[in-house]
Amino acid sequence: MGSVFYEKHYDHVETSSTANVQLIFPTDRFPETAQHIKDAIASGESSICTIDRKGAEDNRKKSLHAIPTKKGYDRDEWPMAMCSEGGEGADIRYISPSDNRGAGSWVSNQVEKYPDGTKVMFIVK
């Protein structure tokens, strides 16, 4: 069983979120992605990512289908496609490719040891 964590986001408090792992996201290394995650969570997206690698491709298609590409930018998704919470209705933001891809690689390295179904709470400071 996971632990219960309480996390404050701007003016509201999210309670009763259960996670197996807490991941402190490095704002200094990936500032655009960090800001997107903070903003998306503040507007109601989940701070919990339930790892679902097999669903990533389908989630990515669902979340990006109506969002056109933009030259010089990546389309960042929160929740990420590899999260069961991702997919249709995910928050999308255009950010620089280096920030987005660096953040994606960093997250992948942090969670590679955890099996699908692991609940990861993202904390952006």
Side-chain angles (χ1 to χ4, degrees):
M1 276 311 297
S3 302
V4 175
F5 300 104
Y6 298 93
E7 184 174 0
K8 183 173 169 94
H9 298 291
Y10 300 97
D11 295 330
H12 73 279
V13 176
E14 186 175 303
T15 60
S16 301
S17 295
T18 327
N20 306 107
V21 177
Q22 286 185 326
L23 186 62
I24 308 294
F25 189 85
T27 302
D28 57 334
R29 290 179 62 187
F30 311 109
E32 290 178 71
T33 301
Q35 191 61 55
H36 181 211
I37 295 169
K38 282 175 80 169
D39 292 347
I41 292 170
S43 67
E45 295 291 345
S46 179
S47 63
I48 303 280
C49 167
T50 305
I51 300 173
D52 178 21
R53 294 173 182 92
K54 289 173 268 178
E57 187 176 333
D58 189 48
N59 280 348
R60 188 168 286 111
K61 285 178 187 173
K62 288 177 181 174
S63 66
L64 299 178
H65 78 279
I67 310 296
T69 59
K70 193 177 199 182
K71 188 174 174 66
Y73 293 91
D74 277 0
R75 296 169 294 173
D76 186 43
E77 309 156 71
W78 187 264
M80 298 174 292
M82 64 160 270
C83 305
S84 62
E85 296 82 3
E88 191 69 38
D91 191 276
I92 310 298
R93 182 174 291 178
Y94 294 104
I95 65 172
S96 71
S98 61
D99 195 284
N100 185 46
R101 296 171 196 180
S105 177
W106 184 87
V107 168
S108 290
N109 287 329
Q110 300 304 306
V111 302
E112 70 184 348
K113 62 187 168 210
Y114 302 117
D116 283 3
T118 301
K119 294 182 179 293
V120 180
M121 175 178 277
F122 280 73
I123 300 171
V124 182
K125 295 188 173 198

